[in-house]
Every structure is written in structure tokens, then in C-alpha cells.
Amino acid sequence: MSDKPIKIPGPDHPITIAQNPARVVVKLDGRVVADTRNALILREASHPPVQYIPREDVDMSLLERTDHASHCPYKGDASYYSITIGGERAKNAVWTYEDPHAAVAEIRNRVAFYPDRVDTIEELRP
């Protein structure tokens, strides 16, 4: 049994997850790290929206798992990756919730990128 708190999103801390109709492309040092038409946008309270990208649309060969971890009482335990082509700037640039809480189960098997640790996270609309 974990002693970490589990909180349920609600009016005091809303979380919504929706399909992004745009194509999302993440680039670093001139390389495409992720390219998807299946991103989910997670909006949480007053935080900026986050694109969660399916792992199959990420060049996982450019990612290296790190020992860094964090916990969110609303989403669960996060694991981190560095982007190998980005040097120090791209350390722990990517996070994932491998076993998210039920309220955000849709983000399982997806990764997110810190916008300041990559060059761009573009939303390309048709």
C-alpha cells in the first residue's frame, strides 16, 4: 500500500483530456523527435496545456531513461527520459505516466515534452 495521496480531479482542480485535431511535431536540433496525428491535450487547473503523444509516434531511439521521478497526486508517478541529441538542455525533457491514476488513464503509453527543453512543439492544422 502506497502512502502517496491520490486526488480526484474536480471543480477545485479540474483536469480535462481531449483529442487534438492537429498534427503535433516535436523537434530538437533539427531532428523530428515526435510526429503524431493522435496527440491528447491535457488541461490541468491553471497549468499550460500539455500534449501527450503516443510512444509509437516518438523516435524512442533518441530517448534515454533517467533515474529522475516525480509524483502528482492527480496523475500518479512519472518517469523521465533525456533526449540524447540535446545535451544538458534536454536532460529529463520527457515524462510519462506508465501507470496513471484512473481519472487520467488515457495518458498511459504516452509521453510529454517540456517546451523549454526542445526547439519546438508545433501544432499543424490542415
Side-chain angles (χ1 to χ4, degrees), residues 36-100:
T36 189
R37 290 182 179 357
N38 294 305
L40 295 178
I41 303 171
L42 184 142
R43 291 180 174 88
E44 178 177 3
S46 61
H47 301 290
V50 175
Q51 305 290 333
Y52 278 86
I53 299 173
R55 287 177 185 235
E56 60 265 19
D57 295 334
V58 177
D59 186 346
M60 296 298 288
S61 72
L62 297 176
L63 305 187
E64 184 175 277
R65 192 172 184 111
T66 71
D67 292 333
H68 187 65
S70 65
H71 176 77
C72 170
Y74 294 95
K75 295 186 294 288
D77 293 321
S79 300
Y80 289 77
Y81 291 85
S82 293
I83 306 171
T84 57
I85 59 172
E88 226 12 68
R89 171 183 174 210
K91 185 176 180 184
N92 296 316
V94 182
W95 74 92
T96 184
Y97 290 93
E98 293 170 340
D99 188 23

